Amino acid sequence: MRDDGANTPAEERIGRRIAQARKLRGLTQQQLADRVPCSKSLIAQVERGHKPATQALVTAVARTLRIGLGELTGQPYLDPEARENQAHQCVPEMRRALLAWDLPDEDISPPSMERLRADVRRASALGRQARYTQLGEMLPGLLEELTRAAHVSEGARRDELFGLLSEAYTGVTAIAYTLGYFDLRSSAMDRVAWAARASQDPLRVARTQWQRSTLFLATATYDKGLMLLKRVRRNIGEDLGRLAPAELSVYGATHLRSAIFAARAADRQTAFDHIEHAREAARVLGGDANHYGLEFGPSNVIMHEVAVAVEMYDGGEAIRRARLATLPSTVAPVRLGHHYIDLARGWLYHGDRQKSLETLLAARRVAPQQTRNHPMVRETVRMLVDLERRRSRSLSGFVSWLGLP
């Protein structure tokens, strides 16, 4: 589909890519709809550009047609001249660092434990701020230092180093997910799990299972994802009064992820049941926290209930729930940016195009790299362009910033 990087609007559409992939496999719209499953009307509207594709539909179609998500989303979105996309240049070095997971560089003299802890804290902070270029530049060297230090240490020091290494590998998964390098993401998640097991920390291992569930989301394997998350909760325990704060965070995060699984499976009742379980865990926790990078707490519950409504094309419900609470200024930019991206889709489904664009602009302000590389942002913008008879200066500027034709 790509020759010189200048795609036509039709080629840029996910719907157009779905139509091309469907025809290559000799399927009618009805046959594809039967296999997804969904209505033929939805397939037709998405292919023609009359309705934006949801993440649920895109992943289900990719699974049904046995193709990669990137073939439908067009990721990664490469534009060397875009400041927000300089993170792509860090990907080759991160790949090389992942390959050397069991081959520590003997020429490296590991820095002090204090320095390694501080560097991992800094890397985690960059991830929370969605500053992926700086994070990508930092990670390869940090991974080499941590790998060397972990392999030459023993006892509790070794356990802690592998915990830090697992956290650093998580930074690679965040960049890979954001930029659309799905193979790199899978490899990095394997390394996250390996280092977590070596850390001898059961909660860190449980957290990696929560992270692993995103792979089931990406392949529309909702039953297995829900099964995995249920197993994590069972292993932690479900008596909230007996759980430590970090355990509450992991427990609550699994309910939030389960809510998204249920929403994508169009099981509205189950989705909001999971939201209520998570809300109770957040109440017991007493406020927003960031155990193991999960960002769990009342704010994350609010953002997920909006996301659940959006996943089911219910813009009115998404807007209603968003208006019920005010998010504090302490919410991490990476989470707030994702929330604004979801909410912009909610406004679009609700019929308020101006609010949709304003919310996308808010996402850009708090998390530009994340916003520029998110396929649902591009779907929303393309729909706004199609619906507006006269493109406003703000919309034209946003289209140009995204690098769309």
Side-chain angles (χ1 to χ4, degrees):
M1 288 182 195
R2 297 186 175 201
D3 295 320
D4 57 3
N7 296 351
T8 68
E11 288 174 333
E12 282 284 344
R13 287 189 177 284
I14 290 177
R16 176 63 174 167
R17 291 190 175 102
I18 289 175
Q20 290 176 335
R22 170 180 62 77
K23 292 172 183 176
L24 281 174
R25 283 151 184 78
L27 297 178
T28 66
Q29 289 179 339
Q30 185 63 63
Q31 288 171 326
L32 177 58
D34 290 341
R35 297 181 186 189
V36 166
C38 65
S39 68
K40 176 190 173 185
S41 173
L42 177 59
I43 296 294
Q45 289 183 76
V46 168
E47 287 189 354
R48 293 170 187 160
H50 297 162
K51 196 169 190 177
T54 63
Q55 290 177 310
L57 180 65
V58 175
T59 54
V61 169
R63 179 201 63 194
T64 300
L65 298 180
R66 299 181 180 180
I67 58 178
L69 272 179
E71 292 188 48
L72 296 183
T73 64
Q75 291 171 287
Y77 307 124
L78 297 171
D79 183 355
E81 297 181 1
R83 182 177 62 184
E84 291 81 2
N85 269 5
Q86 291 174 358
H88 290 279
Q89 299 172 13
C90 305
V91 169
E93 283 300 315
M94 286 190 291
R95 289 188 187 279
R96 283 188 277 272
L98 287 186
L99 288 174
W101 62 278
D102 62 343
L103 299 170
D105 189 339
E106 296 182 359
D107 293 330
I108 290 178
S109 179
S112 69
M113 198 69 185
E114 181 180 355
R115 162 64 197 291
L116 288 170
R117 291 188 192 109
D119 284 349
V120 172
R121 284 196 300 270
R122 178 168 170 257
S124 297
L126 289 172
R128 294 184 79 234
Q129 296 160 9
R131 295 169 61 184
Y132 295 118
T133 298
Q134 296 95 320
L135 178 59
E137 291 171 347
M138 179 183 185
L139 280 174
L142 177 58
L143 289 170
E144 288 185 350
E145 290 178 340
L146 286 167
T147 299
R148 173 64 173 161
H151 279 83
V152 298
S153 299
E154 297 180 349
R157 177 185 173 90
R158 179 182 183 276
D159 293 347
E160 182 181 356
L161 283 165
F162 272 110
L164 294 174
L165 185 57
S166 180
E167 191 169 340
Y169 279 132
T170 296
V172 180
T173 70
I175 295 174
Y177 170 74
T178 299
L179 300 184
Y181 292 96
F182 302 112
D183 62 326
L184 176 62
R185 183 188 182 197
S186 295
S187 297
M189 288 181 73
D190 285 342
R191 300 283 73 79
V192 170
W194 164 74
R197 289 192 297 271
S199 76
Q200 307 294 318
D201 182 346
L203 267 188
R204 186 172 292 282
V205 172
R207 191 256 191 232
T208 66
Q209 294 302 296
W210 170 87
Q211 191 172 5
R212 174 190 170 197
S213 71
T214 60
L215 298 178
F216 290 110
L217 269 183
T219 55
T221 315
Y222 304 136
D223 56 342
K224 296 296 184 182
L226 286 167
M227 185 185 304
L228 174 63
L229 293 167
K230 184 177 181 180
R231 185 171 72 189
V232 173
R233 289 194 295 273
R234 185 173 62 244
N235 290 341
I236 292 174
E238 303 200 48
D239 184 348
L240 301 188
R242 292 178 176 270
L243 299 184
E247 292 173 321
L248 283 167
S249 286
V250 177
Y251 172 88
T254 66
H255 272 299
L256 292 180
R257 181 61 54 74
S258 295
I260 300 298
F261 273 105
R264 290 199 182 180
D267 187 345
R268 185 184 187 91
Q269 183 61 54
T270 298
F272 282 113
D273 284 347
H274 281 296
I275 290 292
E276 293 309 314
H277 284 300
R279 197 188 313 280
E280 178 60 16
R283 185 193 67 77
V284 176
L285 183 61
D288 292 339
N290 190 31
H291 301 110
Y292 296 97
L294 290 169
E295 304 285 349
F296 181 71
S299 297
N300 212 349
V301 174
I302 293 167
M303 291 185 284
H304 272 78
E305 60 184 317
V306 171
V308 162
V310 169
E311 291 287 351
M312 295 184 290
Y313 276 117
D314 193 343
E317 183 67 10
I319 302 310
R320 185 186 73 80
R321 288 180 178 259
R323 284 172 168 166
L324 289 176
T326 301
L327 295 172
S329 60
T330 52
V331 172
V334 68
R335 286 298 315 142
L336 191 58
H338 201 290
H339 173 63
Y340 285 149
I341 291 168
D342 285 334
L343 192 54
R345 294 163 62 200
W347 281 116
L348 177 63
Y349 301 159
H350 192 55
D352 193 327
R353 298 193 291 273
Q354 183 59 35
K355 278 287 190 181
S356 181
L357 177 58
E358 288 174 4
T359 310
L360 286 177
L361 292 171
R364 175 183 174 177
R365 285 193 295 272
V366 300
Q369 291 177 319
Q370 179 186 44
T371 302
R372 196 176 193 279
N373 286 283
H374 202 297
M376 292 300 103
V377 170
R378 292 169 179 249
E379 277 294 281
T380 302
V381 168
R382 292 188 193 105
M383 186 61 58
L384 291 174
V385 168
D386 286 349
L387 292 172
E388 293 289 349
R389 292 184 179 180
R390 298 184 63 182
R391 191 183 302 182
S392 68
R393 182 177 298 178
S394 294
L395 181 55
S396 293
F398 200 83
V399 169
S400 177
W401 178 72
L402 285 176
L404 294 177

